[in-house]
Amino acid sequence: MKILLLISFFLLSAISFCQTQKDSLFKADIEVLVEELEFMYGYDQTLREYTFYKTFDKSETNRVEALSDSLRAEALKEISFTSDSLVRKIFKYYINPQDALHTQRVIDITKKYGFPSSKRIKQFYNQEFEDPEFNPIIILIHSPKEFWEELKVMMKNEYQNGDISQCDYGYLLWQFSGRKSFKPMLDNGFEMVEKDGRSVLTSTCD
């Protein structure tokens, strides 16, 4: 019994030391990492928004997004592409290849520093983000299938280490499970609530 307790103590001490070391490295390189992550996030969001709104003008995409559901649907119909062939090309040549590169880069960052969640970044970074909605989780929400098994293991460890919240973990598991159901999210900090006569998936995390 004493041997088991000693082993457990040394394992916990090693894990704690490793996390402290990662935090130290993360703090030292935080500004360079934030710039890179903001670029990857911006590329991800901007290209995807273009396939909906046919513009890179953020003020225009924000205007359309602020409309009611019915008016937004009408606006999107008016600005839709003549053919969806261009949208397919954008995904094939510009979005999908970069999703793979960005996913691998976030995996590499996580191995060295721990996962760079926006909440964790704010512990060491005192500047405003370029985009107030910036969230590195989104980069992995668009991760290609070939990374999912590796990411399931990695993100479970990051959740257990406290580098991501339960809701972030559930959100990521939803992606890594092929988005087939909301169960990974409902099992990890989300709930269905009634809002305006509709069932809405809502986070219970801070």
Side-chain angles (χ1 to χ4, degrees), residues 98-151:
Q98 288 305 125
D99 282 348
L101 289 173
H102 292 167
T103 297
Q104 184 60 62
R105 179 57 183 144
V106 172
I107 287 173
D108 293 341
I109 288 172
T110 301
K111 287 178 179 177
K112 182 174 181 179
Y113 302 96
F115 184 76
S117 65
S118 54
K119 183 176 181 180
R120 185 162 172 252
I121 287 172
K122 289 175 182 177
Q123 295 176 16
F124 307 106
Y125 187 75
N126 56 15
Q127 301 178 45
E128 295 294 325
F129 295 138
E130 292 294 328
D131 183 340
E133 296 180 357
F134 167 70
N135 187 347
I137 286 288
I138 299 301
I139 299 170
L140 293 188
I141 285 297
H142 295 139
S143 58
K145 187 175 182 179
E146 61 263 30
F147 294 96
W148 291 352
E149 290 307 312
E150 179 182 4
L151 284 167

Side-chain angles (χ1 to χ4, degrees), residues 46-77:
T46 301
L47 267 290
R48 280 179 164 82
E49 285 185 350
Y50 190 89
T51 65
F52 281 100
Y53 305 110
K54 207 163 63 174
T55 180
F56 289 120
D57 185 345
K58 188 67 176 176
S59 63
E60 178 62 13
T61 62
N62 288 342
R63 182 191 68 79
V64 176
E65 287 177 353
L67 297 173
S68 65
D69 290 347
S70 59
L71 290 176
R72 189 186 312 116
E74 289 181 16
L76 289 174
K77 188 181 294 184

Side-chain angles (χ1 to χ4, degrees), residues 7 23-24 28-30 38 40 49 56 70-71 78 103 120 140 154 166 191:
I7 292 172
D23 284 344
S24 180
D29 295 341
I30 191 68
E38 285 187 317
M40 290 190 285
E49 285 185 350
F56 289 120
S70 59
L71 290 176
E78 291 177 3
T103 297
R120 185 162 172 252
L140 293 188
M154 177 176 280
Q166 183 183 29
E191 63 182 9

Side-chain angles (χ1 to χ4, degrees), residues 186 191-204:
L186 294 171
E191 63 182 9
M192 285 291 187
V193 299
E194 291 295 319
K195 185 176 181 180
D196 298 327
R198 297 185 302 167
S199 293
V200 179
L201 190 68
T202 305
S203 167
T204 64

